[in-house]
Amino acid sequence: MSSPTEDDATCSSSKRDERCELEENLDVLRRITVFAEVPLPRLKLYAYLCKRTCFEPGEFIFRQGTADDRGYIILRGTAQVVREYQDHSIFLNELHEGEFFGGVALLSDIKRLFSVKAVTRVECLTLDRESFRKLLVQFPEVGVKVLDVMIKRITFLEEQLMQKHAHDCVYH
Amino acid sequence: MTHNVIPASFKPESKTERRFEMCLDSGYKTAGMTESVDGWQLFGPLSTPTFNCTRSFMEVNETAPGCVIVIRNPATLPSPIERRILLPMVTKKTLFSWVLQCCRGLQALLLVMILFTVFLRVFPLEMQKRIINVAIQSRNLHALLTYCGLYIFAVVMAGVLKYVINVLQGYIGQKIVYEMRDRLYAHILTLPLSFFRRTPPGMVISSLTSELSGPGDFLGSALAAPTINVLTLVTFAGYMVYLNPLLAVLSFAIYPLEILIIPVLQNRYNRLNQERINITRTMSNAIGEAIAGMHEIHGNASYHIETEKLDRSSAMLFSLRHRMNKSKFLIKFVNNFFQSLGPFILFLVGGYLSIRGELDLGALVAFLSAYEKLYDPWKELMDYYQDLQDSRVRYYQVMSYFDSAPEFAIEPADGRAPYQFRGEIAITDLAFVIDGEVRLLDQISLAVKPGEQLAMVGLSGSGKSTLAMVMGQLYCYTQGHVLLDGMELKSLSKRDVSHNIGYVAQHPFIFDGTILDNVLYACKSLQHAGEGSERQLPTREEILQVIDEVGLTEDVLRMGLNMVLEEGRQAELAQKLVVVRQRFRQRWAGELARVVEFFDINQFLFYTDISENITFGSPTRPEYEPAKLAGNKLFREFLDEKDLTTLLFNLGVEIAVQTVSLLEDLQDDQFFFELSPIPRDEFDAYSAIVGKINQAGVGRLSKKETEAVLRLALRFSPAQHKMATLPVELQRRIIAARRDFAEKLRARDPGAFSFYHPDHYLYTHSVLENILFGHPRADQSRAVEEIQDRVVDLLRAEKVFDEVMEAGLGFAVGSMGDRLSGGQKQKIAIARVFLKKPTILILDEATASLDNRSQARIQELINSRWKGKATLVAVVHRLELVKDYDQIVVLKAGKIVEMGRYQELLEQKGIFYELTHGR
C-alpha cells in the first residue's frame, strides 16, 4: 500500500499512474503564463478551488453579451471564438488544449465580448471570481502577480486597437 | 404637545430627594401646568417657575440646559417606561447601591444566620473552659460527656451554617452580576455610534464578561463578610474581657499597631503593582512592534538596538518585582511576628497569673483558644479590605468607560404609541460638526414632500452618506433643524424613528442565524413596542413576494434545493417530495442518465461519501450516524471482515496529510472549507494527527486518532474532494460488500438502517437529490441547470414550490453572514426594510454591491411599488439611475452645490453635468 510523502507537494495513490484531480489541475495551471510566477504551495490552492465542466459539441461555453464570472482553461477538445452580429457571426480564433481564456471575468463583473462554442467534446477547468478574490485577499502578493500578467494582456489588446482605430476609442 | 425626555445624569443627594440634571435642548416648550399626585413635585432653578407632573406624563417648562430638577419619592413612578427614563443611568450607580437593591429578603436571612454563627463560634470556647475546669478537674464523667457533646454540636452547627451562608453569598453575588450585566449591556446598546468608532470591541466584551464578575462576587459578601467578622471579633473580645480583663487588654494592645503598619506596607505594594502593569504593557508593545517591523530589523541588522529596548523594560521589571517581593514578604513577616507576639504575652502574663492562683487553667486554655481564633476573622477582614479596593477600582473603571449619555431617547416619554408620519422631511440650515471644528455638513436645506423621491449625489467624501445617517437618526446633528412632519428629529425617540423610517446601510450587517431571521429582524423589533402596536409578522406569501422583488428567489430556491431536511419536523414536505420524485421520473427519466448519478446499488456513487457507499442507507439510530460510524463496534467488525479497514485507513491518512498542508493558514475563512473533507472546527485536531504521523509514523496513533482518520476516509466523496483518489481496489470491494452489510444489519440489529428505496425520503441527502433520486453530475453544469429548471417547473405544478422556498429561508448564513456573497447580503438588507413597509426609506448606496441588472431591477421596483406611497431618500453612485427622481441634490465638501431635476441639472452644465460625463 502507499504511504504519504511529506516534502513533495504532490499526492500519491495506490497506482503510480493514477493521480488525484488536485495534482492534475496543478499540472495544467503550471503551464499557463498567467499563473507562471505563482509559488507552488499557493498554486495548489488555485488548483483546489478550480472546478471541471464538460460541454457537448455545439454547446456554447459562454455567449456574447451575457454576464459571466469565471475564467476557463481547456483540458481536452477544441473550441471556437466567434463574434456575433444580428444576422451573422465572424470566426475569430480557435482554442486548443491548454489555452486560458475569459480571464477578465475574474477581475470584474463584465459582459462577454464574444461567444465561445465547443467544436468537439470539451472539458474545461474553471475558476470563479469569488474564489479568485478570496485568494487575492489571502495572498495579495500572488494575486498581484496574476493581475500583472492579465493586465499586460489587456494592454496588448488595447495597443493593437489603438494602432488601428485610435480616433474611435474614448474612455468613460 | 409633549416632548420626550433625554435621559439624565444622576447625583443622589439624600434618601427622600432625588436630584438630577436634564440634558435639554433650549427649544423645548410647554403646554401648561398640571396637578401633582402622589408626592411628585418638580422644582426648577430659582429663575424658572416650578411645575408638577401627573402620573401619566411629564411636561417640561422652557428651561435652560442643565437645570436641576428634584423629584420626591420616585418609587411611586407608575409605569416601567417612565421609570426607565427617570432612573439614573446605570453607569452612575455606586458600587454599594447594588447590594441594597438586590435580594433584600435573602440578605436579611443572611444577617440572621450570621448572628447565630457568631454565637456558635463563641459557645465552644465556653465549653472548652468548662470541660477543663468542671469535668476534668472535678473528675465528673457525666459533665465531661455533656460538655463534649455540646461542643461538637456547636462546632457542627457552625459548619452547617457557614455552608449555607457561603452558598447564599454566592447566589446573591451572581444575581448581582446578572443584573449588572443586563443593565450595563442595555445601556451600552444605546450609546451613540461615535462611541463605537473609538472603542475596540474587545474592551466592551471583556468589560461585560470578565471585568464585572470580580466586583459582583465581592458584592455578594459585601454585607455579610464585614458583619460576621466584626461581630465575631467583638464577641470574642467581649468573652476574653469576661475571662480576664487584664489579659484581654494586653492581647488587644497589639492590634492597633498592626492596623497602623500593615496598610502602609500594602499601599507601597499596590503602587509597585500598578507600575508593574504599566511596564509589562510597554514591554509587550515593544515586542509586538519589533515583530511587525522584523524586515526593517533584519534589513538594518539593528538587533542590538531592539534587544536594548527590551532590556530596559526587562531590567525595570526585574527591579520592580524584586522590590515587590520584599514588600510582600515584609508584610507577611510583620503579620506573623504580631501573631506570635500575642501567645507569647499570654503565656508570660497568663502563666504568671496562673502560678499566682489568680487565673484558673481552664480560663487560660479558653483564652488561648479565643486568641488563636481571632486570627481568622482578622485575616478575612484584611482580605475583605483588599477585595474592596480592587473591586472599587475595577467597577468604577468599567462604569466610567461607558459613562456617556445616549444621544436620543429610546422610548417615548409617556408610554404613548409611536408617531405615524406621512413622510414629509424638511431640513433647514443643518450643520454637523465633529471635534469642535470639522464641519462634515454645513448649511444644508432641503424639503421632500410625502411620497417624493430624493437622490443625493456627489463625489466620495462629499457628505452624502453622513447626511443620510443624520436623516436616519444615527448621528446627532449639531445645528439647524430636521423636521419630520413638522417634528424635530432630535426630539423623537428611537421607537418613533424605527416605526417610520427604514434605513439600508452601505455595508449592511447580517446576523448569525437563518435568512428568515435576518429578513424579519426589523419587523420583529417593531413587534416588541408595547402598547399601540398591533403589527403582526408578515405571512409566508408576503415574505416570498419581497424575496422575489429584491431578486433573491433563485438564490433561496437553490439553498432550498440543497437543504437537508430534518426527519421529525419536515416529514410532510418529505412525503410530498417523494411524490415529485415519481412524477419526475415518469417525465424525464430517459434523458437524465448523462446528467445524474442515480442511487444504484450496483454502481459506485462518486458524488456520495464512502460511508454511504458502504451502508447504502440512512441510519435510524444515533449510534450509526456518520460521525459515530468509525467508532461503532458492529461497523468496525464488518470492515475487518471485508478487509476494508487498512485500505480506508490509508486513504484517510492521505486525505489528512494533503488537506492539512493545503489549508494550513486559511482557518479564518469558512469559504476554503466548503470543498474540504475536514470541517473547519476539526482542523486543529487533524493538524495535530498529521503532525504526529510525520514525526512518529502511522503506527503510533492512539485508538481515538485512528478512529478520526477512519472517520475522515468515510467522509471522502471522490467527485467532490480532489486531494486524493479512490483506489480501484477499494471501489470494487465496497460494491461487493454492500449487500452483505444490509444482511448483517438485518441479522444483528434490525431497524437500525433504512436502506435506499425509491419510495422513501432520504434524510441524509438534499431536497434536489431526493427529487432526482441521485446526485447531479457537477461537471455537466449546463445540463444540470436545465434539470433544475425542470425541477422548479414541477415543484410549481405540484404546489410544493413555496415549501421548498421556505426550507431555503432556513439556510444558516454563518457568523456575520459570511456564507453569503456581498450581493446576497445587500438584497437581504433591502428585503428586511421592504418587509417593514416604512413611510420613509433611506437607502445609502444600498445596491452598490449588486450587478447592474439587479440594481436596475430594484430601482424599477422602488418606482413602481413605492412611488407616491413612501418618501425615498437615496444616496446614489450610478447616475443613470436618478433620471426619474423628483429631486436631485448634489453635495460637495458637506454643502449642497446644486439642486433640481435631472434635465435642469444637465442643462446647467455644472458639477452634475461633469459627474454624469465621467470626469
Side-chain angles (χ1 to χ4, degrees):
Chain A
M1 283 299 122
S2 60
S3 52
T5 50
E6 303 93 72
D7 43 85
D8 197 295
T10 59
C11 53
S12 63
S13 49
S14 52
K15 296 205 178 121
R16 277 286 95 188
D17 46 35
E18 234 183 73
R19 294 191 310 174
C20 54
E21 194 180 316
L22 187 67
E23 209 191 42
E24 283 184 7
N25 290 358
L26 189 61
D27 256 1
V28 173
L29 285 177
R30 274 208 277 208
R31 302 205 196 103
I32 312 283
T33 5
V34 169
F35 296 102
E37 304 227 9
V38 179
L40 213 56
R42 305 291 176 232
L43 197 57
K44 258 177 84 176
L45 283 167
Y46 282 87
Y48 169 67
L49 292 173
C50 282
K51 297 195 170 78
R52 294 191 172 199
T53 331
C54 296
F55 299 93
E56 295 296 299
E59 229 186 299
F60 277 95
I61 296 180
F62 54 76
R63 292 206 78 143
Q64 183 174 319
T66 54
D68 197 11
D69 67 339
R70 51 195 67 225
Y72 302 79
I73 301 173
I74 299 194
L75 293 170
R76 263 176 282 283
T78 330
Q80 281 183 345
V81 182
V82 286
R83 171 92 184 157
E84 293 187 74
Y85 296 93
Q86 261 165 5
D87 46 358
H88 65 287
S89 51
I90 304 182
F91 164 83
L92 290 177
N93 197 7
E94 204 169 68
L95 297 168
H96 301 279
E97 215 173 285
E99 292 199 51
F100 173 58
F101 63 97
V104 183
L106 287 179
L107 303 178
S108 183
D109 170 26
I110 48 97
K111 290 204 178 77
R112 290 296 185 195
L113 296 173
F114 39 77
S115 303
V116 173
K117 194 160 135 176
V119 174
T120 65
R121 198 150 189 280
V122 169
E123 195 186 352
C124 279
L125 198 62
T126 68
L127 181 67
D128 65 84
R129 192 184 320 138
E130 199 183 344
S131 309
F132 184 77
R133 281 198 177 161
K134 288 270 180 181
L135 284 170
L136 193 67
V137 164
Q138 283 286 345
F139 309 110
E141 340 77 57
V142 171
V144 162
K145 291 197 172 91
V146 173
L147 284 175
D148 250 354
V149 178
M150 291 179 76
I151 289 177
K152 284 201 173 73
R153 269 187 169 194
I154 296 174
T155 332
F156 177 73
L157 260 176
E158 284 185 338
E159 176 70 42
Q160 294 199 316
L161 204 59
M162 289 293 230
Q163 278 177 3
K164 303 201 176 138
H165 302 279
H167 51 277
D168 280 336
C169 298
V170 175
Y171 272 108
H172 276 281
Chain B
M1 208 186 332
T2 54
H3 291 265
N4 292 307
V5 169
I6 300 170
S9 59
F10 179 83
K11 293 183 192 123
E13 295 270 334
S14 77
K15 290 189 199 66
T16 50
E17 277 187 8
R18 301 280 165 126
R19 283 173 179 275
F20 56 95
E21 290 176 359
M22 309 276 272
C23 311
L24 296 175
D25 211 15
S26 53
Y28 281 78
K29 296 199 197 312
T30 186
M33 312 269 235
T34 48
E35 294 172 0
S36 87
V37 175
D38 284 358
W40 277 64
Q41 260 192 315
L42 297 175
F43 300 92
L46 293 172
S47 53
T48 60
T50 60
F51 40 83
N52 306 318
C53 73
T54 64
R55 289 177 60 92
S56 61
F57 62 93
M58 184 166 83
E59 301 192 271
V60 172
N61 221 342
E62 192 163 11
T63 53
C67 78
V68 174
I69 299 180
V70 176
I71 293 187
R72 295 188 196 282
N73 202 1
T76 57
L77 287 175
S79 81
I81 295 176
E82 281 175 88
R83 201 174 288 135
R84 207 181 310 153
I85 295 178
L86 294 173
L87 274 188
M89 277 206 306
V90 65
T91 49
K92 299 282 188 191
K93 281 175 76 70
T94 60
L95 184 61
F96 275 90
S97 60
W98 291 96
V99 184
L100 299 169
Q101 154 175 317
C102 178
C103 317
R104 269 177 268 205
L106 284 176
Q107 305 234 23
L109 181 63
L110 201 58
L111 281 172
V112 167
M113 284 209 261
I114 287 173
L115 288 173
F116 271 112
T117 312
V118 171
F119 168 73
L120 285 171
R121 281 191 184 181
V122 184
F123 190 67
L125 295 176
E126 180 63 22
M127 289 301 107
Q128 272 189 328
K129 172 177 143 217
R130 292 206 189 172
I131 287 174
I132 294 189
N133 284 350
V134 176
I136 296 179
Q137 293 190 329
S138 335
R139 296 179 198 267
N140 187 340
L141 195 61
H142 180 257
L144 177 70
L145 288 172
T146 322
Y147 289 134
C148 283
L150 284 176
Y151 177 87
I152 195 75
F153 172 74
V155 167
V156 168
M157 276 310 290
V160 166
L161 275 182
K162 187 81 169 94
Y163 165 77
V164 176
I165 288 175
N166 282 341
V167 167
L168 265 183
Q169 271 178 202
Y171 179 84
I172 295 174
Q174 286 313 307
K175 202 98 204 297
I176 292 178
V177 171
Y178 181 27
E179 213 184 294
M180 245 194 233
R181 193 171 281 154
D182 265 4
R183 284 189 61 183
L184 185 59
Y185 190 56
H187 171 76
I188 292 176
L189 284 175
T190 64
L191 291 175
L193 290 177
S194 51
F195 174 83
F196 292 102
R197 275 190 225 291
R198 61 171 191 267
T199 309
M203 172 51 165
V204 178
I205 294 173
S206 73
S207 300
L208 281 171
T209 49
S210 51
E211 291 295 310
L212 278 185
S213 53
D217 288 338
F218 164 75
L219 286 174
S221 52
L223 280 188
T227 319
I228 195 174
N229 291 313
V230 167
L231 275 183
T232 310
L233 278 174
V234 165
T235 320
F236 280 5
Y239 182 68
M240 280 158 76
V241 169
Y242 155 75
L243 286 179
N244 188 311
L246 174 64
L247 270 183
V249 168
L250 273 178
S251 43
F252 285 137
I254 302 173
Y255 281 100
L257 279 176
E258 251 195 286
I259 295 180
L260 285 175
I261 299 183
I262 299 229
V264 169
L265 293 175
Q266 185 66 44
N267 275 342
R268 177 144 53 115
Y269 180 85
N270 288 346
R271 262 180 288 122
L272 290 174
N273 201 14
Q274 190 59 42
E275 229 185 290
R276 173 191 68 86
I277 294 178
N278 289 341
I279 294 193
T280 314
R281 206 176 287 154
T282 317
M283 196 165 77
S284 321
N285 285 344
I287 299 176
E289 200 183 55
I291 293 182
M294 196 48 79
H295 49 284
E296 285 290 342
I297 298 175
H298 280 203
N300 288 301
S302 56
Y303 309 108
H304 51 284
I305 298 183
E306 292 306 315
T307 45
E308 248 177 57
K309 274 191 205 165
L310 187 73
D311 193 63
R312 258 178 274 140
S313 307
S314 271
M316 275 203 279
L317 205 60
F318 168 69
S319 143
L320 257 181
R321 274 239 113 121
H322 179 59
R323 277 154 46 210
M324 274 168 70
N325 271 344
K326 287 199 285 190
S327 256
K328 181 166 84 167
F329 293 123
L330 185 63
I331 295 175
K332 280 208 167 139
F333 165 72
V334 169
N335 227 3
N336 287 340
F337 175 71
F338 280 124
Q339 283 310 115
S340 14
L341 201 59
F344 162 72
I345 293 181
L346 286 179
F347 274 123
L348 189 63
V349 180
Y352 177 71
L353 289 174
S354 264
I355 292 175
R356 291 254 308 252
E358 285 174 25
L359 182 66
D360 56 73
L361 204 56
L364 182 61
V365 171
F367 208 97
L368 280 168
S369 227
Y371 190 78
E372 304 241 312
K373 294 226 165 75
L374 276 181
Y375 180 67
D376 276 330
W378 174 250
K379 184 158 185 315
E380 277 187 32
L381 272 180
M382 300 260 82
D383 286 343
Y384 175 80
Y385 175 69
Q386 301 271 39
D387 258 348
L388 174 62
Q389 298 306 322
D390 186 53
S391 298
R392 274 184 66 101
V393 166
R394 278 212 204 164
Y395 175 81
Y396 286 115
Q397 206 176 39
V398 168
M399 288 303 178
S400 71
Y401 202 77
F402 298 111
D403 190 20
S404 315
E407 286 171 329
F408 305 103
I410 307 300
E411 305 276 345
D414 37 16
R416 61 166 167 80
Y419 292 127
Q420 197 64 41
F421 292 130
R422 286 177 353 256
E424 182 182 341
I425 306 177
I427 302 184
T428 10
D429 257 345
L430 176 72
F432 182 45
V433 182
I434 54 167
D435 291 341
E437 311 176 328
V438 182
R439 302 190 88 89
L440 289 180
L441 293 173
D442 204 13
Q443 293 162 28
I444 306 274
S445 294
L446 55 89
V448 190
K449 294 201 204 50
E452 272 193 353
Q453 297 186 338
L454 170 73
M456 304 201 288
V457 303
L459 294 171
S460 319
S462 54
K464 38 190 211 290
S465 271
T466 317
L467 182 54
M469 289 180 88
V470 166
M471 286 166 75
Q473 215 205 33
L474 291 167
Y475 285 150
C476 187
Y477 48 96
T478 341
Q479 293 164 16
H481 301 277
V482 177
L483 298 173
L484 253 53
D485 276 18
M487 301 197 69
E488 186 75 49
L489 183 63
K490 259 197 231 184
S491 69
L492 294 174
S493 71
K494 281 264 177 253
R495 182 72 50 200
D496 295 313
V497 169
S498 70
H499 258 267
N500 292 286
I501 299 185
Y503 181 88
V504 181
Q506 198 167 7
H507 302 290
F509 194 82
I510 306 294
F511 294 93
D512 195 359
T514 62
I515 294 184
L516 190 66
D517 291 336
N518 273 287
V519 146
L520 288 179
Y521 191 74
C523 294
K524 279 198 192 158
S525 78
L526 283 184
Q527 247 197 344
H528 203 253
E531 34 172 313
S533 86
E534 304 92 28
R535 297 199 58 147
Q536 304 198 311
L537 289 178
T539 61
R540 186 173 75 184
E541 280 73 46
E542 287 179 319
I543 297 176
L544 289 180
Q545 193 192 0
V546 169
I547 295 272
D548 199 36
E549 285 170 359
V550 299
L552 271 176
T553 303
E554 257 186 63
D555 301 73
V556 174
L557 181 62
R558 195 174 5 103
M559 290 167 188
L561 287 175
N562 283 330
M563 268 296 187
V564 171
L565 297 185
E566 272 179 50
E567 190 152 356
R569 286 179 41 201
Q570 291 160 300
E572 218 187 285
L573 176 57
Q575 285 320 306
K576 291 190 192 170
L577 289 171
V578 171
V579 172
V580 173
R581 176 196 296 169
Q582 287 156 352
R583 296 255 185 286
F584 196 83
R585 295 209 88 148
Q586 278 166 15
R587 286 190 64 186
W588 305 110
E591 308 167 43
L592 290 180
R594 179 169 77 89
V595 176
V596 175
E597 184 187 59
F598 290 114
F599 297 139
D600 184 346
I601 198 169
N602 300 310
Q603 303 283 13
F604 192 86
L605 307 174
F606 289 87
Y607 284 89
T608 317
D609 64 40
I610 291 194
S611 72
E612 261 193 65
N613 265 291
I614 298 177
T615 62
F616 211 72
S618 48
T620 51
R621 286 207 219 109
E623 59 263 26
Y624 289 99
E625 266 162 33
K628 303 211 183 85
L629 266 183
N632 184 302
K633 240 182 74 180
L634 189 59
F635 189 73
R636 289 289 290 272
E637 217 181 270
F638 178 76
L639 288 182
D640 288 334
E641 273 171 26
K642 296 288 167 185
D643 260 333
L644 289 169
T645 319
T646 326
L647 283 173
L648 283 175
F649 181 78
N650 289 336
L651 180 62
V653 166
E654 176 68 21
I655 298 171
V657 167
Q658 291 302 320
T659 314
V660 165
S661 91
L662 191 65
L663 296 179
E664 224 159 0
D665 302 312
L666 296 170
Q667 283 144 288
D668 293 332
D669 202 336
Q670 175 60 30
F671 177 78
F672 294 101
F673 285 85
E674 312 256 316
L675 297 170
S676 152
I678 300 182
R680 187 168 158 204
D681 47 5
E682 290 178 33
F683 190 80
D684 286 329
Y686 280 101
S687 189
I689 293 179
V690 168
K692 203 165 170 191
I693 293 177
N694 284 339
Q695 271 191 342
V698 294
R700 301 293 224 101
L701 293 180
S702 74
K703 188 161 166 282
K704 271 211 167 302
E705 288 166 341
T706 313
E707 235 176 75
V709 170
L710 275 176
R711 214 178 327 132
L712 191 57
L714 289 173
R715 220 186 267 145
F716 179 69
S717 178
Q720 290 171 339
H721 299 139
K722 303 191 187 75
M723 63 283 293
T725 41
L726 181 71
V728 174
E729 183 59 24
L730 185 57
Q731 194 180 322
R732 199 183 56 76
R733 286 196 203 175
I734 288 178
I735 302 178
R738 227 177 247 166
R739 288 186 212 270
D740 294 336
F741 182 77
E743 260 181 51
K744 186 179 178 90
L745 232 50
R746 266 187 266 268
R748 295 275 298 270
D749 199 352
F753 266 86
S754 94
F755 295 101
Y756 290 167
H757 191 278
D759 294 334
H760 293 166
Y761 189 84
L762 311 174
Y763 284 98
T764 41
H765 287 265
S766 72
V767 167
L768 182 62
E769 289 162 11
N770 268 285
I771 295 175
L772 300 174
F773 200 63
H775 200 290
R777 292 187 200 271
D779 58 351
Q780 305 287 330
S781 59
R782 249 355 100 71
V784 168
E785 273 170 35
E786 276 178 36
I787 294 280
Q788 281 198 212
D789 290 338
R790 293 179 190 171
V791 167
V792 170
D793 287 337
L794 198 52
L795 287 177
R796 278 192 218 270
E798 295 289 321
K799 310 240 189 304
V800 191
F801 183 80
D802 280 2
E803 269 99 326
V804 175
M805 286 290 283
E806 196 177 345
L809 286 176
F811 177 76
V813 302
S815 156
M816 299 204 277
D818 66 1
R819 296 178 69 190
L820 297 171
S821 71
Q824 286 168 337
K825 285 193 229 183
Q826 272 205 326
K827 287 179 185 169
I828 289 181
I830 297 174
R832 192 190 274 169
V833 159
F834 277 7
L835 278 171
K836 193 161 91 155
K837 296 203 265 262
T839 353
I840 302 176
L841 264 172
I842 303 183
L843 305 178
D844 186 359
E845 293 205 43
T847 53
S849 301
L850 303 180
D851 58 85
N852 298 347
R853 194 165 45 111
S854 305
Q855 287 189 14
R857 180 204 178 122
I858 295 202
Q859 188 55 57
E860 235 334 286
L861 179 71
I862 293 179
N863 282 344
S864 56
R865 263 257 253 138
W866 300 86
K867 196 155 189 157
K869 297 198 197 107
T871 314
L872 171 69
V873 175
V875 175
V876 183
H877 193 71
R878 281 188 53 223
L879 298 174
E880 307 91 81
L881 299 171
V882 306
K883 285 189 187 143
D884 295 322
Y885 278 69
D886 298 304
Q887 256 193 88
I888 301 171
V889 152
V890 182
L891 285 150
K892 184 173 174 176
K895 294 202 175 85
I896 297 183
V897 289
E898 282 172 21
M899 190 152 79
R901 298 193 71 123
Y902 190 75
Q903 224 25 62
E904 297 165 24
L905 290 178
L906 277 183
E907 279 158 21
Q908 280 181 30
K909 294 234 191 302
I911 297 188
F912 186 75
Y913 178 80
E914 278 181 25
L915 283 172
T916 43
H917 284 73
R919 288 275 234 96

